[in-house]
Amino acid sequence: MRVAVGTDRGVMVLKPGEAPGAPWTMVSYGLSTRRIQALAQGPEDALLAASDQGLISRTRDGENWQTFAEGLASSSIHSLSLHPAEPDLIFAGTQPAGVFRSSDGAAHWERLAGFNSVPSAGNWSYPIPPYRATVKAIRQHPQHPRALLAAVAMGGVIASLDGGLT
């Protein structure tokens, strides 16, 4: 078992000590110059991190990161979701509130316009500057990769059964 932790100074990957009660040890440390705003851990230790620079970075070993942003039109990513059965299907939640999808493992992104067409979207806001609503969490159903929930601060929970199209 490995646990990834996103911090203001990059991503640390930790593993528990060999004996019960033994201290955890750091396996790897990456993206040390970036403040991590969102982190997702997928199957086979795949990691996806969103930084304050609006970039998505992906690695399998925690050390050799590749950065992608093509089609990702937001510089403020606050949530990520990797599906365990379909690790190349990734969703990113942004500020201002929006949802982006990648079906090729983060290489290319598309904005899901249907997300912002729900009737309540015009009322979403946030009480702290810059006063823009934020998608704080995205989760996909474990058995149904196209079933998606997105939590909007402040606006509610938005559901989609078709991968975010509607």
Side-chain angles (χ1 to χ4, degrees), residues 37 51-55 72-78 94-96 132:
Q37 295 186 158
S51 76
D52 56 347
Q53 298 170 15
L55 300 174
L72 195 56
S74 176
S75 62
S76 188
I77 303 151
H78 288 265
T94 63
Q95 181 189 56
R132 296 181 298 192

Side-chain angles (χ1 to χ4, degrees), residues 95 97 124-127 132-136 151-156:
Q95 181 189 56
W124 299 345
S125 67
Y126 196 69
R132 296 181 298 192
T134 305
V135 177
K136 297 297 273 185
V152 178
M154 306 203 33

Side-chain angles (χ1 to χ4, degrees), residues 143-165:
Q143 284 83 35
H144 306 285
R146 303 287 185 256
L148 178 68
L149 292 173
V152 178
M154 306 203 33
V157 177
I158 312 301
S160 173
L161 298 177
D162 59 9
L165 297 176

